[in-house]
Amino acid sequence: MVTKSRHGTRAEGIALPVNVDRRLPTPLPDQLTQELRRLISDGTLHPGDTVPSSRRLATHLSISRGSVETAYAQLAVEGFLIAAERSATRINPELPAASTPVPQRRSIPDSPRRRLRNYVDLRPGFGGDDPLREPAFRRAWRESLDVDPGPIDPLGQPRARWAIADHLRLTRGMAVDPDEIILTSGSRDGLRLLLSVGVSGSIAVENPGFPGLRQAMTDQHLVPLDMVGSSPAPADVGAAVVTPNHQFPHGTPMPVDQRARLLDWAVRGDALLIEDDYDSEARFTRTVLPTLFDLASSTGSSAQVVHIGTFSALLTSAVSTGYVIARGPIAERLMSMRAALGPAFSPILQMAIASYLGSGGLRRRISRGRRRLRTAEEVVSEIGPIPGLVHDGRTLVIETSQEQAATLLRGLAERGILVASLARGWTGGDEVRHGLVIAHSNVEASVLREALGEVKTQLSRIQS
């Protein structure tokens, strides 16, 4: 029987494109010798690589073992191969590398152990203690490996959705059915999911506003949100993204009467409200205000609100978990799209989050953050006046000129202190203001005291 064989045989897990053809007049050993020389010369095989055993290669090519041994022997005489007793046959490691350019072989990247931060992160949405070192979080991870998550639900495992609903009931006063929750890999993923199911027209954004979700809308037409007046949303505005629990830059919450006017604005303009619940837990002096999602329900408003939440700010962006809550037709479209795309993140991680929430680990973490915020307020009072400081909410804002802001950001970074740029909160135009935004509750009191001292020093230096 005449056969032609072209196989991807393996040498230590590497596929070798070897081609031998019984119909050719060239003997099979000579064909195999030529093929192996070609693989060495074009860089497919590197000096030091192991080649398949004669028995294995013969089986894969459906030729006799003798033909393979003859080819190997010829290549060994030529110096291409090195064979030793009780050892695998290898490409001669002394051969020069192939002259034909080939992709460089990369070593497996190292996976270093987590190290303590060597910088002070005072940017909103960053900092805080490392949850990945927290015993409760590590215990939740271990427990997740012993739990059968059951059938994979693309909307989120039932236990995880139930745990999130219970967490929102206890910490936000929200009455949410677990079936209304769709798990995402963070707030930006939730926003992109929402945009994919049909938000038509321009998107209004707060100006100034927290820049987080804006980074996920670079392909959208963004316009400044103007809901102060009585006019409805412009006809070309299909949605508005708002952060009612953290108004940029000071971190103050939007008053209830303004929230009610926002709902009315959305109804009159037939605009979808996308509520980013960023930083809702960072409070200690005010009681929790109702979310837009709940306020629309409790007041009988016909405004359509989608609530986007995330655990990335509370935990770390390395965990990348969040959720979307919606009702009505938009919820059906979101669920259909999520079902088509599949789960946003691993069911095992979903079980870990469920365990962490169920054990009260996240609530205790929130309590620690609030204690740190109270202490941070005391430090700010102790440190004395800081030139240009405005302290109206949960962050510190220092307004400066554009040049001074750039100098401060660079100088503080060189000293290992990271703060946010005030200008990033503006959508553009002539109203942009410059300076620093400092999340002072990110670190312990002693660290904050030193960091704010450095801010005062650098401010005095550039303003003198």
Side-chain angles (χ1 to χ4, degrees):
M1 180 177 179
V2 177
T3 62
K4 180 178 180 180
S5 179
R6 184 175 180 85
H7 296 267
T9 60
R10 292 185 173 270
E12 298 296 322
I14 302 173
L16 300 181
V18 177
N19 186 12
V20 293
D21 190 344
R22 294 180 183 275
R23 294 172 297 181
L24 296 177
T26 307
L28 290 177
D30 292 347
Q31 290 186 43
L32 183 55
T33 300
Q34 293 169 5
E35 284 289 283
L36 291 173
R37 286 199 202 100
R38 177 183 59 80
L39 295 178
I40 295 170
S41 64
D42 67 16
T44 302
L45 288 175
H46 290 228
D49 279 349
T50 300
V51 296
S53 68
S54 58
R55 183 187 302 278
R56 184 178 179 188
L57 186 55
T59 300
H60 276 283
L61 297 178
S62 299
I63 62 177
S64 70
R65 185 180 179 186
S67 294
V68 177
E69 289 176 341
T70 300
Y72 279 5
Q74 179 61 36
L75 290 169
V77 170
E78 295 174 2
F80 285 100
L81 296 182
I82 292 180
E85 190 175 355
R86 299 182 181 277
S87 180
T89 301
R90 297 180 177 276
I91 307 299
N92 187 346
E94 300 300 325
L95 286 175
S99 58
T100 304
V102 294
Q104 289 187 344
R105 179 183 290 181
R106 296 186 178 184
S107 58
I108 298 174
D110 292 332
S111 299
R113 294 184 66 83
R114 293 181 59 81
R115 295 181 296 180
L116 294 174
R117 295 185 179 123
N118 58 358
Y119 56 88
V120 178
D121 200 335
L122 298 178
R123 296 172 297 171
F126 295 84
D129 56 318
D130 187 351
L132 303 186
R133 296 184 179 276
E134 182 185 327
F137 192 77
R138 288 176 171 257
R139 183 166 56 252
W141 264 107
R142 292 193 298 271
E143 290 174 354
S144 71
L145 299 177
D146 296 327
V147 175
D148 180 3
I152 295 178
D153 188 335
L155 304 182
Q157 299 305 104
R159 182 181 169 194
R161 296 162 77 189
W162 184 92
I164 291 172
D166 201 47
H167 168 77
L168 294 174
R169 176 181 64 84
L170 295 171
T171 62
R172 299 292 284 114
M174 294 181 70
V176 179
D177 189 320
D179 289 339
E180 297 173 334
I181 297 175
I182 304 170
L183 267 60
T184 68
S185 62
S187 55
R188 294 182 193 180
D189 177 53
L191 178 61
R192 293 307 306 182
L193 178 68
L194 182 57
L195 295 178
S196 71
V197 300
V199 175
S200 59
S202 302
I203 298 179
V205 293
E206 294 168 318
N207 187 38
F210 189 72
L213 286 189
R214 199 177 299 168
Q215 298 174 10
M217 297 188 291
T218 55
D219 59 338
Q220 303 294 314
H221 181 232
L222 305 182
V223 297
L225 172 63
D226 179 13
M227 46 144 281
V228 178
S230 58
S231 61
D236 64 337
V237 171
V241 177
V242 293
T243 55
N245 292 297
H246 186 116
Q247 295 287 274
F248 187 90
H250 302 293
T252 50
M254 181 186 292
V256 172
D257 61 334
Q258 191 173 345
R259 296 179 189 224
R261 289 201 303 273
L262 180 58
L263 291 175
D264 182 59
W265 174 90
V267 170
R268 287 183 288 113
D270 193 25
L272 172 70
L273 288 179
I274 304 171
E275 178 183 32
D276 178 9
D277 203 36
Y278 166 73
D279 203 31
S280 63
E281 299 83 3
R283 53 185 165 78
F284 74 93
T285 57
R286 299 176 177 88
T287 56
V288 62
L289 293 176
T291 64
L292 286 176
F293 186 85
D294 267 354
L295 190 61
S297 177
S298 64
T299 60
S301 171
S302 60
Q304 193 169 27
V305 182
V306 174
H307 184 92
I308 295 179
T310 180
F311 296 121
S312 296
L314 281 172
L315 297 172
T316 168
S317 57
V319 176
S320 295
T321 57
Y323 50 89
V324 169
I325 306 174
R327 292 175 180 151
I330 190 74
E332 296 175 3
R333 297 201 300 272
L334 284 168
M335 290 179 179
S336 295
M337 179 60 72
R338 183 79 276 168
L341 295 174
F345 59 96
S346 162
I348 295 177
L349 176 55
Q350 294 181 35
M351 292 298 97
I353 293 295
S355 178
Y356 186 55
L357 294 177
S359 69
L362 187 59
R363 293 195 297 276
R364 290 191 294 274
R365 181 175 179 80
I366 292 171
S367 296
R368 291 196 300 273
R370 290 176 182 164
R371 289 195 298 270
R372 199 164 54 239
L373 180 56
R374 284 193 290 268
T375 303
E377 294 287 320
E378 296 172 359
V379 172
V380 174
S381 298
E382 295 170 4
I383 199 104
I386 298 177
L389 174 65
V390 178
H391 183 198
D392 288 341
R394 296 194 292 265
T395 55
L396 308 180
V397 178
I398 301 173
E399 288 200 34
T400 66
S401 68
Q402 182 176 0
E403 182 180 353
Q404 289 175 338
T407 301
L408 283 168
L409 288 166
R410 183 172 57 253
L412 291 172
E414 290 173 353
R415 297 300 300 270
I417 301 171
L418 305 182
V419 297
S421 167
L422 177 62
R424 290 189 65 220
W426 267 262
T427 58
D430 299 330
E431 298 181 2
V432 176
R433 294 179 355 214
H434 298 274
L436 310 181
V437 181
I438 302 173
H440 57 308
S441 64
N442 280 9
V443 295
E444 301 300 330
S446 59
V447 178
L448 176 65
R449 193 173 288 109
E450 292 184 13
L452 291 182
E454 183 63 30
V455 171
K456 287 185 66 173
T457 299
Q458 297 211 21
L459 268 170
S460 299
R461 183 181 303 132
I462 68 171
Q463 293 180 348
S464 59

